[in-house]
């Protein structure tokens, strides 16, 4: 009988994508992805600790908390929590302390089970299991100091959060900030949910409070809450006269703050400085609150700013996170991929465009995320859109989000005016280059048809252009919308003007030399002129 067979011998053929993912996970186990190395300092747990945690953990009792298991011979079986099924193909071996699903190919040990089911990093899972098994978590001596400092910094951030938060709801002190937030349409519930705060205008209000509570001011400086006075002793408050947006990690720890200026203070948005506990490129604002809904819906929406996330939450859209102004980083993409493989970018129209041309969006695709772009009406960020036009329109824009390729084609077409056949040829070339990365022939065929349609040229022309470009450039990777083509276009237009218009020619002679033209042909013509 099937169940009598040793499941670890009878391996089901693993799907290739699982295999690739498994290999990636294994490779990542001891690298920065899992947070074992931070700030260039090893924070490895002491020797044999992981082994001890593994030995002292009971796989069957852990899995039983998530999946009802039934005894089957010397193993246990149940319904797989990682794919939907009606007959159990999920087996747990108490003897080997391993689990395996014959349906979807998932499998592993006690660490990988907890990582997968709770969306944890390896280190997070190991710590949780240590606690369960009553194993004392100890680090190597070299990382002990770092661990202690990290704990201390989190406590300082906790203190700062409550201080800022109390300010906001203090009748006298918080009046200004509170009325600003109310004017922007926020209600008290959402302000509480995001633990918003207010930094007073004074240069030493947080400083004094921290002193009173006995915190080390140098710790506050490490976190960017204070700055050292230049040329003299002492510190001053970094966040002044600002609405405060606390940034929490997925374990609900306060890692940093964003502050929006309420007066003339520059910059308009100020963030905590990078520290042992805060790395902006690895943080997503709102993920602590949004992660469950993102997992549930299988979709994350990425916006630019704090207010965009808060507006979405206030109107019941709770699968939204912010990349905090900067273009999305590979680390942020990886962080998101723990919860979903589908992402919709809802940046301000200009930023999304810049991201696309800087290959910022390709980065998401390369993190194995399916990326779409919601095209917002000109001049509206998600915050304004949701508040002014309502959540219905937001839903529609997310639903109608364009695939990355569609979006890039639109971008090319909207940025270039097609006046003549030559313009059309150039645009066609740029579009064909966008299609270069498509491996699936059916998808490619669809896009070639679409491109021909949108350019109003014969489909065969687009196809032969694609073939031509492939031959002439071989495997050389050309940048999307390379700056050269733009430069060339300007030069061509200028030359055109110089030929047609005598005044323009005279003006040009005063300003430029023939050698300023980058294109050799253009240079020759300019020399003749
Ligand atoms: Zn399964």
């Amino acid at each position: 009988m099937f169940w009598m067979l040793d499941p670890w011998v009878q391996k089901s053929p693993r799907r290739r994508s699982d295999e690739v993912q498994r290999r990636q996970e294994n490779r990542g186990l001891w690298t920065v992805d899992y947070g074992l190395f931070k700030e260039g300092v090893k924070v490895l747990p002491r020797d044999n600790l992981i082994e001890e945690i593994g030995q002292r953990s009971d796989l069957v009792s852990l899995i039983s908390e998530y999946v009802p298991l039934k005894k089957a011979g010397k193993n246990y079986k149940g319904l797989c929590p990682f794919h939907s099924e009606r007959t159990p193909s999920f087996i747990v071996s108490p003897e080997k302390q391993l689990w395996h699903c014959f349906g979807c190919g998932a499998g592993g040990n006690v660490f990988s089970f907890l990582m997968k089911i709770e969306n944890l990093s390896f280190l997070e899972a190991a710590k949780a299991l240590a606690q369960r098994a009553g194993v004392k978590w100890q680090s190597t001596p070299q990382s002990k100091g770092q661990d202690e400092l990290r704990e201390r910094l989190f406590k300082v951030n906790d203190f700062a959060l409550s201080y800022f938060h109390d300010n906001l709801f203090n009748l006298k002190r918080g009046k200004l900030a509170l009325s600003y937030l109310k004017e922007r349409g926020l209600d008290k519930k959402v302000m509480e949910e995001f633990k918003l705060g207010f930094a007073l205008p004074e240069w030493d209000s947080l400083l004094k409070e921290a002193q009173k509570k006995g915190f080390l001011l140098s710790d506050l400086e490490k976190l960017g809450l204070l700055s050292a006075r230049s040329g003299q002793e002492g510190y001053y408050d970094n966040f002044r006269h600002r609405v405060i947006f606390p940034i929490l990690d997925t374990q609900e720890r306060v890692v940093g703050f964003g502050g929006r200026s309420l007066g003339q203070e520059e910059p308009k948005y100020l963030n905590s400085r990078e520290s042992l506990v805060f790395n902006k490129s690895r943080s997503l604002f709102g993920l602590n609150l949004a992660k469950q809904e993102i997992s549930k819906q299988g979709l994350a929406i990425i916006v630019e700013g704090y207010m965009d996330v808060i507006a979405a939450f206030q109107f019941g859209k709770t699968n939204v996170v912010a990349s905090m102004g900067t273009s999305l980083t590979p680390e942020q993409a990886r962080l998101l991929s723990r919860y979903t493989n589908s992402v919709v970018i809802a940046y301000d129209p200009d930023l999304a465009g810049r991201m696309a041309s800087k290959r910022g969006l390709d980065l998401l695709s390369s993190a194995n995320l399916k990326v779409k772009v919601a095209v917002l009406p000109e001049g509206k960020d998600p915050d304004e859109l949701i508040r002014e036009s309502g959540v219905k329109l937001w839903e529609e824009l997310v639903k109608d989000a364009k695939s990355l390729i569609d979006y890039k084609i639109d971008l090319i077409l909207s940025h270039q005016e097609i006046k003549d056949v030559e313009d059309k040829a150039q645009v066609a070339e740029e579009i064909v280059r966008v299609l270069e990365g498509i491996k699936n022939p059916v998808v490619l065929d669809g896009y070639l048809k679409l491109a021909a349609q949108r350019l109003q040229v014969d489909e065969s022309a687009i196809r032969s252009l694609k073939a031509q470009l492939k031959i002439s450039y071989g495997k050389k990777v050309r940048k999307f919308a390379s700056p050269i083509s733009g430069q060339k276009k300007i030069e061509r237009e200028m030359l055109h003007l110089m030929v047609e218009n005598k005044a323009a020619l005279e003006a040009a002679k005063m300003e430029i030399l023939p050698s300023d033209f980058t294109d050799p042909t253009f240079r020759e013509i300019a020399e003749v002129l």
Side-chain angles (χ1 to χ4, degrees):
M1 201 189 129
F2 176 70
W3 293 106
M4 302 297 283
L5 290 171
D6 188 335
W8 322 113
V9 177
Q10 207 223 345
K11 274 257 166 68
S12 71
R14 208 191 268 275
R15 280 205 313 263
R16 204 185 149 269
S17 59
D18 289 337
E19 186 64 32
V20 169
Q21 198 193 343
R22 191 182 59 83
R23 258 187 270 136
Q24 279 169 350
E25 277 169 9
N26 284 348
R27 212 182 316 128
L29 216 57
W30 298 101
T31 66
V32 73
D33 296 356
Y34 286 87
L36 289 174
F37 295 88
K38 284 212 175 117
E39 310 264 304
V41 180
K42 278 187 191 177
V43 288
L44 279 174
R46 71 164 161 80
D47 289 350
N48 306 327
L49 180 64
I50 296 298
E51 221 180 299
E52 194 185 329
I53 295 168
Q55 281 164 3
R56 301 256 299 261
S57 297
D58 180 16
L59 184 63
V60 174
S61 81
L62 174 75
I63 292 182
S64 299
E65 288 176 20
Y66 300 90
V67 183
L69 291 175
K70 271 191 192 137
K71 193 117 172 74
K74 47 182 186 169
N75 296 323
Y76 289 83
K77 63 175 178 175
L79 293 172
C80 176
F82 304 116
H83 84 279
S84 76
E85 60 175 6
R86 286 202 202 115
T87 46
S89 44
F90 180 84
I91 312 176
V92 184
S93 161
E95 186 192 338
K96 298 193 168 65
Q97 288 291 306
L98 292 170
W99 58 278
H100 182 81
C101 171
F102 287 98
C104 65
N109 57 18
V110 67
F111 297 101
S112 56
F113 181 81
L114 198 61
M115 282 166 73
K116 208 167 154 67
I117 199 132
E118 291 285 1
N119 284 320
L120 298 178
S121 72
F122 177 76
L123 200 63
E124 288 162 358
K127 278 193 173 167
L129 287 169
Q131 207 170 20
R132 258 181 77 96
V135 178
K136 196 168 168 359
W137 184 269
Q138 276 175 327
S139 306
T140 53
Q142 64 181 133
S143 69
K144 215 173 159 208
Q146 295 284 321
D147 282 353
E148 280 165 8
L149 176 60
R150 183 177 290 112
E151 289 306 311
R152 231 167 56 216
L153 294 180
F154 278 130
K155 285 203 179 105
V156 172
N157 270 347
D158 277 343
F159 145 75
L161 180 140
S162 0
Y163 176 69
F164 290 139
H165 191 64
D166 288 348
N167 280 345
L168 181 63
F169 291 104
N170 180 297
L171 285 182
K172 247 176 26 207
R173 285 176 296 183
K175 217 172 166 180
L176 187 79
L178 202 59
S179 64
Y180 164 80
L181 288 171
K182 279 183 180 155
E183 212 172 285
R184 295 277 311 249
L186 275 69
D187 61 22
K188 186 150 187 250
K189 187 172 157 272
V190 82
M191 289 184 220
E192 288 285 1
E193 197 175 9
F194 283 89
K195 303 186 172 85
L196 300 191
F198 176 46
L200 300 178
E202 288 81 37
W203 289 74
D204 58 359
S205 61
L206 179 71
L207 185 146
K208 279 183 179 157
E209 191 67 17
Q211 256 170 341
K212 216 162 75 188
K213 294 260 159 75
F215 288 104
L216 285 175
L217 297 186
S218 58
D219 282 354
L220 275 86
E221 196 218 351
K222 284 192 183 83
L223 291 163
L225 289 165
L226 298 180
S227 279
R229 289 189 184 279
S230 66
Q232 36 182 318
E233 266 180 61
Y235 301 94
Y236 62 89
D237 283 15
N238 245 347
F239 292 94
R240 298 179 308 277
H241 204 209
R242 286 171 187 275
V243 169
I244 298 290
F245 303 91
I247 304 160
L248 277 67
D249 68 8
T250 52
Q251 296 171 68
E252 300 286 336
R253 296 178 302 195
V254 187
V255 293
F257 299 94
R260 191 208 185 275
S261 158
L262 283 178
Q264 300 305 311
E265 292 86 356
E266 291 287 335
K268 200 164 137 197
Y269 280 94
L270 178 73
N271 285 308
S272 288
R273 75 172 58 113
E274 304 272 304
S275 70
L276 197 55
V277 300
F278 183 51
N279 185 329
K280 194 169 154 216
S281 64
R282 275 184 214 157
S283 310
L284 286 163
F285 176 73
L287 186 59
N288 58 312
L289 298 171
K291 61 181 185 186
Q292 261 179 331
E293 192 62 21
I294 289 173
S295 277
K296 207 171 117 196
Q297 291 191 23
L299 174 70
I301 297 166
I302 308 176
V303 294
E304 223 177 303
Y306 307 110
M307 292 300 263
D308 299 327
V309 174
I310 294 173
F313 266 73
Q314 195 179 333
F315 288 85
K317 299 290 148 197
T318 56
N319 60 336
V320 182
V321 296
S323 56
M324 296 182 281
T326 42
S327 306
L328 215 61
T329 66
E331 290 88 353
Q332 287 174 327
R334 264 206 301 276
L335 184 60
L336 262 187
S337 69
R338 278 199 212 165
Y339 303 96
T340 180
N341 58 5
S342 248
V343 164
V344 169
I345 303 271
Y347 279 173
D348 304 2
D350 53 331
L351 186 75
R354 283 206 303 277
M355 282 266 295
S357 48
K358 279 196 310 191
R359 307 187 77 92
L361 296 177
D362 292 322
L363 180 149
L364 281 172
S365 313
S366 65
N368 281 329
L369 291 170
K370 273 182 271 167
V371 188
K372 289 189 165 187
V373 182
V375 183
L376 271 49
E378 203 65 45
K380 291 237 160 148
D381 59 31
D383 173 34
E384 293 164 323
L385 182 101
I386 293 172
R387 291 184 190 286
E388 288 165 20
S389 315
V391 79
K392 267 268 168 306
L393 180 62
W394 169 257
E395 278 168 6
E396 273 166 34
L397 288 172
V398 169
K399 202 178 105 242
D400 297 341
K402 293 183 171 168
S403 81
L404 202 49
I405 305 241
D406 274 334
Y407 180 71
K408 283 183 174 178
I409 292 177
D410 278 357
L411 205 65
I412 292 170
L413 287 169
S414 69
H415 280 212
Q416 311 232 21
E417 206 185 336
I418 300 180
K419 292 188 297 270
D420 51 33
V421 179
E422 242 179 282
D423 287 342
K424 196 182 261 192
Q426 201 199 323
V427 169
E429 204 178 310
E430 284 185 22
I431 290 177
V432 168
R433 286 193 200 295
V434 169
L435 305 183
E436 255 170 18
I438 303 176
K439 298 212 176 64
N440 185 321
V442 179
V443 176
L444 180 62
D445 186 72
Y447 277 114
L448 287 171
K449 283 198 173 82
L450 186 80
Q453 225 174 58
R454 305 227 15 204
L455 284 167
Q456 293 172 306
V457 295
D458 204 68
E459 208 184 302
S460 61
I462 291 284
R463 284 180 197 280
S464 46
L465 178 62
K466 173 129 185 21
Q468 246 177 44
L469 289 175
K470 207 171 182 176
I471 293 162
S472 57
Y473 295 106
K475 279 192 174 153
K476 213 169 93 189
V477 181
R478 286 261 309 221
K479 276 194 191 128
F480 162 68
S482 73
I484 306 297
S485 64
Q487 171 78 17
K488 241 186 190 167
K489 199 168 167 176
I490 293 169
E491 289 182 8
R492 196 185 63 200
E493 267 164 27
M494 181 166 239
L495 211 56
H496 191 78
L497 207 64
M498 285 160 67
V499 175
E500 298 267 282
N501 186 317
K502 216 173 151 64
L505 178 64
E506 292 311 313
K509 275 184 179 166
M510 311 272 288
E511 298 288 335
I512 55 168
L513 295 168
S515 58
D516 287 338
F517 285 94
T518 55
D519 186 87
T521 321
F522 293 166
R523 209 152 47 217
E524 266 178 49
I525 300 172
E527 255 151 15
V528 173
L529 288 171

